[in-house]
Amino acid sequence: MTNTVRQGIEECYMYVTTPIYYPNDKPHLGHAYTTILADVISRWFSLLGYNVYFLTGTDEHGLKLQREADKRGVSTKEFVDQMAGVFKEYWKVLGIGYSRFIRTTEQEHEEVVKYAVSRLWDRGYIYPGKYKGWYCTACEKFYGEGEYIIENNTPVCPTHRRYLEYIEEDTYFLRLSLFKDQVIKLLREGSIVYPKHFSDEVLSKIESEGLQDLSIARPKSRVSWGIELPFDSRYVIYVWIDALLNYLTGLGYPKDMNRVERYWKNSVQLIGKDILWFHTAIWFALLAMLDLPPPNKLLVHSYLTVKGQKMGKSLGNVVSIDDMIKRYGNPEVVRFIIARIANYDKDVEVSWDVYDSIYTGDLLNNYGNLVRRATTLTIKTLNGRATRDLDGEFANTIDELKERSINLYNSFEISGAIKHALDILHETNAYINRREPWRTSRPNQTIYTVLEAIRIASLLFYPIMPVTVGGILNSIGLDRVGQGLEQFRLGYVDEYSVRESPIPFKKLQ
Ligand code: ME8
């Protein structure tokens, strides 16, 4: 990936997406988790010079929204309009720099869904039939035998722990079964799904249960809030088919296929593991039916948990984004903590103790103190000016950590990338202690090298805390962050002009 950047940045396009969230309530820390990771990835590749298009939004159709609006006594349209605004507000506070916020109730999207479904119908991928089964409204999903739990002799949703509803109705099916071998091939041979064990999980499910045709229509008598099925007005389209297609609407499908192709080739889709099946078995098949390749990368992360249970509205154990912002007084600290704890493989338990120690250890004592120490030293011993004179030996140590961090960023391992950036700061603190620049009459080399190390670590933090890092760089005389890898070279800056000694992070109350 690094090489591609060097070859010519005008060629590099990237498409980053988050799931579109159900706006039945305000977003919680679980939604922020995926959205912050996606934003950091977007900002990282933009920093390298990629042309990144970042899509997020809200999934506004289906029974879940219809029922929630009924409960609150407002029309569904009014409700989703209001809630989409709430999501945008949160993302603004958290500095989420999306390129487009898509809503599935937009006319453009409705047209795309009708177009795509008509195409599937014309090609014979859809046929009428009857469906019987147990349905979870919270998941908007039918559960087959063996997939649900039994409590009091009644099927219960394994995710939401609530009773399933028995539904028997006429519907239309999508011939997913036709694409079974193709999906298996993509999962087995491709390196689309990361981490890989998630694709193995889907593979073994398909191998043991097959890939069943999917019911994709809901009678309006039961679900009225949805996009009408183009060839039978008694039905609306299943919310998941509607929702998945948002990723194509976001790029201008089908009107601007050049643009779709340009970005889709290098698409990076982030999801939580709860919606893995939809984004592999169903999504890959749906794309194939429309003659489109699967995404380039599907990044799947595990859950934020509270007492071992997935955090979620249905379980009533959500940690609020507001509480976290209030605690640290800076939304960018929330971004840092989330990026620092992020884990694709394992669930992460929410813990204020861990969060506090990240804040105090990494930001206040490590980063903040080093910046203060270095700037004070520059002002006291060099009148605020340090000129290029790199200590080659120490620069090598920093270089190695920097390369590791960049490589991890390029493979989407954000928390690992942060760890190496923090190591740069640790090493630099130790280097100052060893060199004691205040004791020598010629401290320029040490101080210049220290400022370079701070600059490199700051660049590595830039996608996570753009405003805070921008302020820190400013205080050492650097006005703007450039694009491309060249700026990551040690010795890149001619001269530092330190104006002030900032206090970027304050002690916790
Ligand atoms: O599933 N830990 O929307 P949704 C980690 N509309 N991530 C979490 C989380 C947790 N405890 N809770 C939520 C939907 N998330 C559909 C998606 S896409 C075409 C349609 C995050 O509001 C995580 O990204 O239920 C998860 O996949 C997503 O929110 C589910 O959001």
Side-chain angles (χ1 to χ4, degrees):
M1 214 165 276
T2 311
N3 286 338
T4 343
V5 176
R6 286 198 177 116
Q7 276 160 19
I9 56 173
E10 71 281 2
E11 294 302 319
C12 297
Y13 289 89
M14 181 178 270
Y15 186 36
V16 177
T17 68
T18 72
I20 44 169
Y21 307 108
Y22 293 124
N24 57 328
D25 204 343
K26 61 184 188 183
H28 57 68
L29 208 58
H31 302 114
Y33 185 25
T34 321
T35 313
I36 289 171
L37 281 186
D39 188 66
V40 170
I41 290 170
S42 298
R43 286 179 191 267
W44 169 252
F45 285 97
S46 301
L47 180 64
L48 293 191
Y50 278 65
N51 177 333
V52 180
Y53 196 78
F54 172 22
L55 185 78
T56 188
T58 37
D59 185 358
E60 303 186 351
H61 288 127
L63 209 49
K64 197 203 272 266
L65 272 307
Q66 192 183 314
R67 285 190 179 157
E68 187 65 39
D70 283 351
K71 211 165 79 188
R72 297 182 190 219
V74 286
S75 77
T76 319
K77 174 80 175 89
E78 253 175 286
F79 179 56
V80 294
D81 281 351
Q82 184 207 335
M83 293 308 292
V86 171
F87 268 74
K88 284 185 187 164
E89 222 16 75
Y90 272 93
W91 297 160
K92 189 167 152 197
V93 172
L94 284 174
I96 306 299
Y98 54 78
S99 315
R100 174 172 176 181
F101 186 100
I102 192 167
R103 302 180 51 193
T104 52
T105 51
E106 283 169 31
Q107 196 189 342
E108 183 194 350
H109 176 70
E110 300 202 355
E111 281 166 13
V112 170
V113 173
K114 284 185 181 167
Y115 168 86
V117 170
S118 303
R119 210 168 145 189
L120 300 173
W121 173 250
D122 293 343
R123 295 182 144 199
Y125 293 139
I126 296 175
Y127 64 94
K130 211 175 192 55
Y131 195 87
K132 299 178 200 166
W134 294 97
Y135 197 78
C136 172
T137 319
C139 302
E140 294 281 12
K141 176 180 160 166
F142 279 110
Y143 277 92
E145 225 171 286
E147 290 182 329
Y148 48 74
I149 309 167
I150 304 277
E151 271 172 24
N152 300 328
N153 279 331
T154 317
V156 168
C157 168
T159 309
H160 297 97
R161 302 268 159 176
R162 58 195 214 184
Y163 291 127
L164 300 176
E165 295 170 47
Y166 188 74
I167 288 172
E168 192 175 329
E169 65 196 15
D170 289 327
T171 185
Y172 285 88
F173 286 96
L174 187 65
R175 289 188 200 278
L176 287 189
S177 54
L178 274 185
F179 288 80
K180 180 178 159 199
D181 293 342
Q182 201 165 324
V183 170
I184 288 180
K185 193 160 179 264
L186 288 171
L187 289 168
R188 191 174 286 147
E189 290 170 15
S191 53
I192 304 167
V193 182
Y194 181 83
K196 187 176 168 298
H197 65 86
F198 285 119
S199 70
D200 297 340
E201 209 174 277
V202 179
L203 266 174
S204 72
K205 183 171 153 76
I206 297 179
E207 274 155 6
S208 66
E209 298 163 21
L211 186 52
Q212 315 290 337
D213 291 348
L214 178 74
S215 157
I216 59 147
R218 301 287 178 262
K220 280 187 185 166
S221 53
R222 186 166 69 81
V223 188
S224 56
W225 185 244
I227 301 174
E228 193 173 284
L229 196 62
F231 48 85
D232 190 337
S233 62
R234 295 170 303 162
Y235 294 89
V236 297
I237 295 163
Y238 176 36
V239 64
W240 265 101
I241 296 297
D242 165 354
L244 285 167
L245 289 166
N246 94 85
Y247 301 129
L248 297 183
T249 309
L251 289 178
Y253 177 88
K255 287 193 188 116
D256 192 348
M257 286 311 284
N258 281 337
R259 183 155 183 273
V260 173
E261 226 171 82
R262 217 161 44 224
Y263 282 103
W264 190 247
K265 247 194 286 189
N266 198 10
S267 45
V268 178
Q269 303 209 266
L270 276 99
I271 59 165
K273 65 181 177 183
D274 49 343
I275 52 180
L276 173 64
W277 177 255
F278 293 102
H279 282 82
T280 47
I282 299 176
W283 184 218
F284 293 3
L286 187 58
L287 285 164
M289 289 178 190
L290 296 168
D291 299 322
L292 287 165
N296 190 44
K297 274 277 166 259
L298 181 70
L299 303 180
V300 188
H301 66 68
S302 297
Y303 294 148
L304 287 182
T305 57
V306 176
K307 298 199 182 102
Q309 299 252 47
K310 179 192 175 200
M311 180 200 301
K313 199 201 156 205
S314 312
L315 292 178
N317 60 356
V318 297
V319 171
S320 99
I321 298 172
D322 306 87
D323 286 351
M324 206 162 154
I325 294 176
K326 209 161 124 208
R327 188 170 184 97
Y328 301 105
N330 175 355
E332 290 198 338
V333 172
V334 176
R335 293 170 59 96
F336 184 87
I337 292 172
I338 291 295
R340 175 89 163 94
I341 56 143
N343 197 314
Y344 292 107
D345 283 306
K346 290 193 210 110
D347 292 347
V348 189
E349 182 72 11
V350 170
S351 156
W352 291 106
D353 287 345
V354 171
Y355 297 174
D356 286 356
S357 76
I358 289 176
Y359 179 74
T360 306
D362 296 346
L363 292 180
L364 191 79
N365 293 343
N366 196 2
Y367 192 26
N369 274 356
L370 177 63
V371 168
R372 213 169 143 65
R373 210 177 163 197
T375 48
T376 308
L377 262 172
T378 321
I379 293 167
K380 277 204 180 137
T381 62
L382 293 169
N383 251 338
R385 291 180 106 73
T387 52
R388 185 188 288 125
D389 182 5
L390 199 62
D391 173 348
E393 199 185 322
F394 183 64
N396 283 343
T397 310
I398 301 304
D399 225 21
E400 212 172 283
L401 293 167
K402 173 196 79 182
E403 285 298 326
R404 281 193 213 154
S405 178
I406 289 177
N407 287 337
L408 285 168
Y409 254 127
N410 285 346
S411 35
F412 314 108
E413 283 290 353
I414 311 299
S415 55
I418 297 178
K419 251 179 252 150
H420 291 303
L422 288 167
D423 285 343
I424 292 181
L425 303 175
H426 281 298
E427 289 290 340
T428 308
N429 260 315
Y431 176 69
I432 298 181
N433 295 346
R434 272 199 315 275
R435 296 287 290 235
E436 302 186 325
W438 54 90
R439 282 190 200 277
T440 85
S441 56
R442 295 165 62 197
N444 183 65
Q445 185 186 61
T446 304
I447 290 181
Y448 175 82
T449 309
V450 165
L451 290 172
E452 273 294 88
I454 290 176
R455 184 181 66 83
I456 299 292
S458 298
L459 282 177
L460 293 167
F461 288 150
Y462 187 67
I464 305 164
M465 304 182 288
V467 177
T468 309
V469 168
I472 288 174
L473 289 175
N474 226 279
S475 72
I476 56 176
L478 307 173
D479 307 336
R480 62 174 208 98
V481 171
Q483 276 196 324
L485 266 184
E486 177 58 13
Q487 59 186 329
F488 283 88
R489 182 170 53 79
L490 277 145
Y492 178 77
V493 169
D494 293 333
E495 189 182 56
Y496 281 98
S497 172
V498 175
R499 286 195 290 270
E500 58 182 307
S501 179
I503 307 178
F505 307 103
K506 299 198 179 70
K507 267 212 171 83
L508 274 184
Q509 295 301 316

PDB file of all heavy atoms in Angstrom, residues 459-486:
ATOM      1  N   LEU A 459       2.073  13.322  14.002  1.00  0.00           N
ATOM      2  CA  LEU A 459       1.482  12.988  12.701  1.00  0.00           C
ATOM      3  C   LEU A 459       0.727  11.666  12.794  1.00  0.00           C
ATOM      4  O   LEU A 459      -0.330  11.492  12.195  1.00  0.00           O
ATOM      5  CB  LEU A 459       2.563  12.873  11.625  1.00  0.00           C
ATOM      6  CG  LEU A 459       3.126  14.171  11.056  1.00  0.00           C
ATOM      7  CD1 LEU A 459       4.240  13.866  10.057  1.00  0.00           C
ATOM      8  CD2 LEU A 459       2.033  14.986  10.368  1.00  0.00           C
ATOM      9  N   LEU A 460       1.309  10.747  13.566  1.00  0.00           N
ATOM     10  CA  LEU A 460       0.658   9.440  13.718  1.00  0.00           C
ATOM     11  C   LEU A 460      -0.636   9.560  14.533  1.00  0.00           C
ATOM     12  O   LEU A 460      -1.547   8.756  14.373  1.00  0.00           O
ATOM     13  CB  LEU A 460       1.615   8.426  14.351  1.00  0.00           C
ATOM     14  CG  LEU A 460       2.822   8.038  13.474  1.00  0.00           C
ATOM     15  CD1 LEU A 460       3.879   7.296  14.281  1.00  0.00           C
ATOM     16  CD2 LEU A 460       2.385   7.186  12.272  1.00  0.00           C
ATOM     17  N   PHE A 461      -0.707  10.556  15.388  1.00  0.00           N
ATOM     18  CA  PHE A 461      -1.943  10.781  16.163  1.00  0.00           C
ATOM     19  C   PHE A 461      -2.944  11.663  15.414  1.00  0.00           C
ATOM     20  O   PHE A 461      -4.090  11.800  15.835  1.00  0.00           O
ATOM     21  CB  PHE A 461      -1.628  11.475  17.495  1.00  0.00           C
ATOM     22  CG  PHE A 461      -0.943  10.595  18.506  1.00  0.00           C
ATOM     23  CD1 PHE A 461      -0.069  11.142  19.442  1.00  0.00           C
ATOM     24  CD2 PHE A 461      -1.179   9.232  18.552  1.00  0.00           C
ATOM     25  CE1 PHE A 461       0.567  10.342  20.384  1.00  0.00           C
ATOM     26  CE2 PHE A 461      -0.550   8.419  19.490  1.00  0.00           C
ATOM     27  CZ  PHE A 461       0.322   8.977  20.404  1.00  0.00           C
ATOM     28  N   TYR A 462      -2.463  12.293  14.362  1.00  0.00           N
ATOM     29  CA  TYR A 462      -3.299  13.293  13.678  1.00  0.00           C
ATOM     30  C   TYR A 462      -4.666  12.751  13.224  1.00  0.00           C
ATOM     31  O   TYR A 462      -5.684  13.424  13.412  1.00  0.00           O
ATOM     32  CB  TYR A 462      -2.517  13.893  12.502  1.00  0.00           C
ATOM     33  CG  TYR A 462      -3.215  15.038  11.829  1.00  0.00           C
ATOM     34  CD1 TYR A 462      -3.421  16.246  12.497  1.00  0.00           C
ATOM     35  CD2 TYR A 462      -3.679  14.919  10.522  1.00  0.00           C
ATOM     36  CE1 TYR A 462      -4.066  17.305  11.877  1.00  0.00           C
ATOM     37  CE2 TYR A 462      -4.326  15.975   9.896  1.00  0.00           C
ATOM     38  CZ  TYR A 462      -4.517  17.162  10.579  1.00  0.00           C
ATOM     39  OH  TYR A 462      -5.164  18.190   9.963  1.00  0.00           O
ATOM     40  N   PRO A 463      -4.745  11.553  12.653  1.00  0.00           N
ATOM     41  CA  PRO A 463      -6.063  11.059  12.240  1.00  0.00           C
ATOM     42  C   PRO A 463      -7.011  10.844  13.424  1.00  0.00           C
ATOM     43  O   PRO A 463      -8.214  10.803  13.253  1.00  0.00           O
ATOM     44  CB  PRO A 463      -5.759   9.705  11.582  1.00  0.00           C
ATOM     45  CG  PRO A 463      -4.308   9.753  11.231  1.00  0.00           C
ATOM     46  CD  PRO A 463      -3.671  10.608  12.283  1.00  0.00           C
ATOM     47  N   ILE A 464      -6.445  10.722  14.617  1.00  0.00           N
ATOM     48  CA  ILE A 464      -7.275  10.448  15.794  1.00  0.00           C
ATOM     49  C   ILE A 464      -7.707  11.734  16.486  1.00  0.00           C
ATOM     50  O   ILE A 464      -8.851  11.872  16.903  1.00  0.00           O
ATOM     51  CB  ILE A 464      -6.496   9.537  16.776  1.00  0.00           C
ATOM     52  CG1 ILE A 464      -6.034   8.285  16.034  1.00  0.00           C
ATOM     53  CG2 ILE A 464      -7.343   9.172  17.984  1.00  0.00           C
ATOM     54  CD1 ILE A 464      -4.961   7.515  16.751  1.00  0.00           C
ATOM     55  N   MET A 465      -6.767  12.685  16.606  1.00  0.00           N
ATOM     56  CA  MET A 465      -7.085  13.936  17.313  1.00  0.00           C
ATOM     57  C   MET A 465      -6.647  15.132  16.472  1.00  0.00           C
ATOM     58  O   MET A 465      -5.716  15.847  16.852  1.00  0.00           O
ATOM     59  CB  MET A 465      -6.349  13.963  18.663  1.00  0.00           C
ATOM     60  CG  MET A 465      -6.637  12.770  19.562  1.00  0.00           C
ATOM     61  SD  MET A 465      -5.794  12.887  21.158  1.00  0.00           S
ATOM     62  CE  MET A 465      -4.095  12.589  20.659  1.00  0.00           C
ATOM     63  N   PRO A 466      -7.304  15.366  15.336  1.00  0.00           N
ATOM     64  CA  PRO A 466      -6.789  16.384  14.412  1.00  0.00           C
ATOM     65  C   PRO A 466      -6.681  17.784  15.025  1.00  0.00           C
ATOM     66  O   PRO A 466      -5.703  18.487  14.772  1.00  0.00           O
ATOM     67  CB  PRO A 466      -7.777  16.356  13.242  1.00  0.00           C
ATOM     68  CG  PRO A 466      -8.961  15.574  13.705  1.00  0.00           C
ATOM     69  CD  PRO A 466      -8.486  14.672  14.797  1.00  0.00           C
ATOM     70  N   VAL A 467      -7.658  18.174  15.841  1.00  0.00           N
ATOM     71  CA  VAL A 467      -7.629  19.544  16.360  1.00  0.00           C
ATOM     72  C   VAL A 467      -6.553  19.686  17.434  1.00  0.00           C
ATOM     73  O   VAL A 467      -5.733  20.610  17.405  1.00  0.00           O
ATOM     74  CB  VAL A 467      -9.020  19.947  16.916  1.00  0.00           C
ATOM     75  CG1 VAL A 467      -8.971  21.340  17.519  1.00  0.00           C
ATOM     76  CG2 VAL A 467     -10.070  19.857  15.807  1.00  0.00           C
ATOM     77  N   THR A 468      -6.531  18.729  18.366  1.00  0.00           N
ATOM     78  CA  THR A 468      -5.561  18.780  19.459  1.00  0.00           C
ATOM     79  C   THR A 468      -4.133  18.710  18.914  1.00  0.00           C
ATOM     80  O   THR A 468      -3.262  19.488  19.313  1.00  0.00           O
ATOM     81  CB  THR A 468      -5.807  17.584  20.420  1.00  0.00           C
ATOM     82  OG1 THR A 468      -7.195  17.571  20.756  1.00  0.00           O
ATOM     83  CG2 THR A 468      -4.975  17.697  21.665  1.00  0.00           C
ATOM     84  N   VAL A 469      -3.902  17.787  18.000  1.00  0.00           N
ATOM     85  CA  VAL A 469      -2.567  17.628  17.423  1.00  0.00           C
ATOM     86  C   VAL A 469      -2.194  18.866  16.598  1.00  0.00           C
ATOM     87  O   VAL A 469      -1.062  19.361  16.671  1.00  0.00           O
ATOM     88  CB  VAL A 469      -2.495  16.349  16.559  1.00  0.00           C
ATOM     89  CG1 VAL A 469      -1.230  16.326  15.719  1.00  0.00           C
ATOM     90  CG2 VAL A 469      -2.565  15.112  17.440  1.00  0.00           C
ATOM     91  N   GLY A 470      -3.168  19.390  15.865  1.00  0.00           N
ATOM     92  CA  GLY A 470      -2.936  20.620  15.089  1.00  0.00           C
ATOM     93  C   GLY A 470      -2.433  21.727  16.020  1.00  0.00           C
ATOM     94  O   GLY A 470      -1.491  22.455  15.693  1.00  0.00           O
ATOM     95  N   GLY A 471      -3.048  21.839  17.195  1.00  0.00           N
ATOM     96  CA  GLY A 471      -2.660  22.862  18.172  1.00  0.00           C
ATOM     97  C   GLY A 471      -1.231  22.635  18.674  1.00  0.00           C
ATOM     98  O   GLY A 471      -0.454  23.586  18.817  1.00  0.00           O
ATOM     99  N   ILE A 472      -0.907  21.380  18.928  1.00  0.00           N
ATOM    100  CA  ILE A 472       0.436  21.060  19.430  1.00  0.00           C
ATOM    101  C   ILE A 472       1.489  21.382  18.365  1.00  0.00           C
ATOM    102  O   ILE A 472       2.510  22.016  18.638  1.00  0.00           O
ATOM    103  CB  ILE A 472       0.510  19.568  19.857  1.00  0.00           C
ATOM    104  CG1 ILE A 472      -0.289  19.385  21.156  1.00  0.00           C
ATOM    105  CG2 ILE A 472       1.958  19.112  20.042  1.00  0.00           C
ATOM    106  CD1 ILE A 472      -0.437  17.944  21.617  1.00  0.00           C
ATOM    107  N   LEU A 473       1.203  20.988  17.131  1.00  0.00           N
ATOM    108  CA  LEU A 473       2.154  21.266  16.047  1.00  0.00           C
ATOM    109  C   LEU A 473       2.324  22.776  15.865  1.00  0.00           C
ATOM    110  O   LEU A 473       3.417  23.271  15.613  1.00  0.00           O
ATOM    111  CB  LEU A 473       1.684  20.603  14.744  1.00  0.00           C
ATOM    112  CG  LEU A 473       1.791  19.073  14.722  1.00  0.00           C
ATOM    113  CD1 LEU A 473       1.189  18.502  13.442  1.00  0.00           C
ATOM    114  CD2 LEU A 473       3.249  18.610  14.851  1.00  0.00           C
ATOM    115  N   ASN A 474       1.206  23.460  16.027  1.00  0.00           N
ATOM    116  CA  ASN A 474       1.233  24.913  15.926  1.00  0.00           C
ATOM    117  C   ASN A 474       2.173  25.542  16.931  1.00  0.00           C
ATOM    118  O   ASN A 474       2.900  26.477  16.620  1.00  0.00           O
ATOM    119  CB  ASN A 474      -0.178  25.411  16.199  1.00  0.00           C
ATOM    120  CG  ASN A 474      -0.570  26.426  15.183  1.00  0.00           C
ATOM    121  OD1 ASN A 474      -0.185  27.571  15.318  1.00  0.00           O
ATOM    122  ND2 ASN A 474      -1.272  25.978  14.147  1.00  0.00           N
ATOM    123  N   SER A 475       2.151  25.001  18.135  1.00  0.00           N
ATOM    124  CA  SER A 475       2.975  25.590  19.193  1.00  0.00           C
ATOM    125  C   SER A 475       4.469  25.379  18.933  1.00  0.00           C
ATOM    126  O   SER A 475       5.299  26.063  19.515  1.00  0.00           O
ATOM    127  CB  SER A 475       2.572  25.021  20.549  1.00  0.00           C
ATOM    128  OG  SER A 475       3.002  23.684  20.629  1.00  0.00           O
ATOM    129  N   ILE A 476       4.817  24.432  18.066  1.00  0.00           N
ATOM    130  CA  ILE A 476       6.242  24.299  17.734  1.00  0.00           C
ATOM    131  C   ILE A 476       6.534  24.880  16.341  1.00  0.00           C
ATOM    132  O   ILE A 476       7.537  24.573  15.710  1.00  0.00           O
ATOM    133  CB  ILE A 476       6.767  22.837  17.866  1.00  0.00           C
ATOM    134  CG1 ILE A 476       5.963  21.844  17.013  1.00  0.00           C
ATOM    135  CG2 ILE A 476       6.755  22.395  19.318  1.00  0.00           C
ATOM    136  CD1 ILE A 476       6.515  20.412  17.030  1.00  0.00           C
ATOM    137  N   GLY A 477       5.600  25.695  15.893  1.00  0.00           N
ATOM    138  CA  GLY A 477       5.871  26.489  14.689  1.00  0.00           C
ATOM    139  C   GLY A 477       5.480  25.838  13.383  1.00  0.00           C
ATOM    140  O   GLY A 477       5.878  26.294  12.314  1.00  0.00           O
ATOM    141  N   LEU A 478       4.699  24.764  13.435  1.00  0.00           N
ATOM    142  CA  LEU A 478       4.264  24.121  12.186  1.00  0.00           C
ATOM    143  C   LEU A 478       2.779  24.431  11.975  1.00  0.00           C
ATOM    144  O   LEU A 478       1.944  24.056  12.779  1.00  0.00           O
ATOM    145  CB  LEU A 478       4.491  22.607  12.266  1.00  0.00           C
ATOM    146  CG  LEU A 478       5.916  22.192  12.645  1.00  0.00           C
ATOM    147  CD1 LEU A 478       6.012  20.691  12.868  1.00  0.00           C
ATOM    148  CD2 LEU A 478       6.913  22.625  11.567  1.00  0.00           C
ATOM    149  N   ASP A 479       2.494  25.135  10.882  1.00  0.00           N
ATOM    150  CA  ASP A 479       1.121  25.632  10.687  1.00  0.00           C
ATOM    151  C   ASP A 479       0.184  24.614  10.087  1.00  0.00           C
ATOM    152  O   ASP A 479      -1.010  24.670  10.289  1.00  0.00           O
ATOM    153  CB  ASP A 479       1.080  26.823   9.722  1.00  0.00           C
ATOM    154  CG  ASP A 479       2.019  27.892  10.157  1.00  0.00           C
ATOM    155  OD1 ASP A 479       2.311  27.911  11.356  1.00  0.00           O
ATOM    156  OD2 ASP A 479       2.467  28.675   9.289  1.00  0.00           O
ATOM    157  N   ARG A 480       0.721  23.751   9.259  1.00  0.00           N
ATOM    158  CA  ARG A 480      -0.249  22.849   8.635  1.00  0.00           C
ATOM    159  C   ARG A 480       0.362  21.478   8.392  1.00  0.00           C
ATOM    160  O   ARG A 480       1.573  21.332   8.258  1.00  0.00           O
ATOM    161  CB  ARG A 480      -0.796  23.435   7.324  1.00  0.00           C
ATOM    162  CG  ARG A 480       0.226  23.657   6.288  1.00  0.00           C
ATOM    163  CD  ARG A 480      -0.296  24.096   4.944  1.00  0.00           C
ATOM    164  NE  ARG A 480       0.674  23.619   3.951  1.00  0.00           N
ATOM    165  CZ  ARG A 480       0.544  22.524   3.256  1.00  0.00           C
ATOM    166  NH1 ARG A 480      -0.541  21.798   3.346  1.00  0.00           N
ATOM    167  NH2 ARG A 480       1.483  22.133   2.419  1.00  0.00           N
ATOM    168  N   VAL A 481      -0.539  20.502   8.352  1.00  0.00           N
ATOM    169  CA  VAL A 481      -0.112  19.137   8.085  1.00  0.00           C
ATOM    170  C   VAL A 481      -0.265  18.916   6.580  1.00  0.00           C
ATOM    171  O   VAL A 481      -1.282  19.295   6.001  1.00  0.00           O
ATOM    172  CB  VAL A 481      -0.994  18.162   8.894  1.00  0.00           C
ATOM    173  CG1 VAL A 481      -0.743  16.725   8.487  1.00  0.00           C
ATOM    174  CG2 VAL A 481      -0.729  18.344  10.381  1.00  0.00           C
ATOM    175  N   GLY A 482       0.748  18.351   5.964  1.00  0.00           N
ATOM    176  CA  GLY A 482       0.691  18.153   4.515  1.00  0.00           C
ATOM    177  C   GLY A 482       0.047  16.829   4.147  1.00  0.00           C
ATOM    178  O   GLY A 482      -0.641  16.207   4.962  1.00  0.00           O
ATOM    179  N   GLN A 483       0.264  16.398   2.917  1.00  0.00           N
ATOM    180  CA  GLN A 483      -0.265  15.109   2.465  1.00  0.00           C
ATOM    181  C   GLN A 483       0.879  14.278   1.916  1.00  0.00           C
ATOM    182  O   GLN A 483       1.795  14.816   1.306  1.00  0.00           O
ATOM    183  CB  GLN A 483      -1.293  15.316   1.353  1.00  0.00           C
ATOM    184  CG  GLN A 483      -2.676  15.625   1.877  1.00  0.00           C
ATOM    185  CD  GLN A 483      -3.712  15.421   0.776  1.00  0.00           C
ATOM    186  OE1 GLN A 483      -3.448  15.703  -0.382  1.00  0.00           O
ATOM    187  NE2 GLN A 483      -4.876  14.931   1.139  1.00  0.00           N
ATOM    188  N   GLY A 484       0.828  12.992   2.130  1.00  0.00           N
ATOM    189  CA  GLY A 484       1.855  12.116   1.577  1.00  0.00           C
ATOM    190  C   GLY A 484       2.832  11.653   2.642  1.00  0.00           C
ATOM    191  O   GLY A 484       2.826  12.141   3.775  1.00  0.00           O
ATOM    192  N   LEU A 485       3.675  10.721   2.255  1.00  0.00           N
ATOM    193  CA  LEU A 485       4.579  10.079   3.217  1.00  0.00           C
ATOM    194  C   LEU A 485       5.849  10.881   3.485  1.00  0.00           C
ATOM    195  O   LEU A 485       6.510  10.683   4.494  1.00  0.00           O
ATOM    196  CB  LEU A 485       4.989   8.703   2.677  1.00  0.00           C
ATOM    197  CG  LEU A 485       4.162   7.512   3.148  1.00  0.00           C
ATOM    198  CD1 LEU A 485       4.765   6.235   2.594  1.00  0.00           C
ATOM    199  CD2 LEU A 485       4.130   7.439   4.677  1.00  0.00           C
ATOM    200  N   GLU A 486       6.174  11.770   2.560  1.00  0.00           N
ATOM    201  CA  GLU A 486       7.437  12.494   2.660  1.00  0.00           C
ATOM    202  C   GLU A 486       7.588  13.194   4.016  1.00  0.00           C
ATOM    203  O   GLU A 486       8.652  13.183   4.635  1.00  0.00           O
ATOM    204  CB  GLU A 486       7.509  13.498   1.491  1.00  0.00           C
ATOM    205  CG  GLU A 486       8.720  14.400   1.441  1.00  0.00           C
ATOM    206  CD  GLU A 486      10.067  13.664   1.385  1.00  0.00           C
ATOM    207  OE1 GLU A 486      10.079  12.439   1.129  1.00  0.00           O
ATOM    208  OE2 GLU A 486      11.095  14.321   1.627  1.00  0.00           O
TER     209      GLU A 486
END
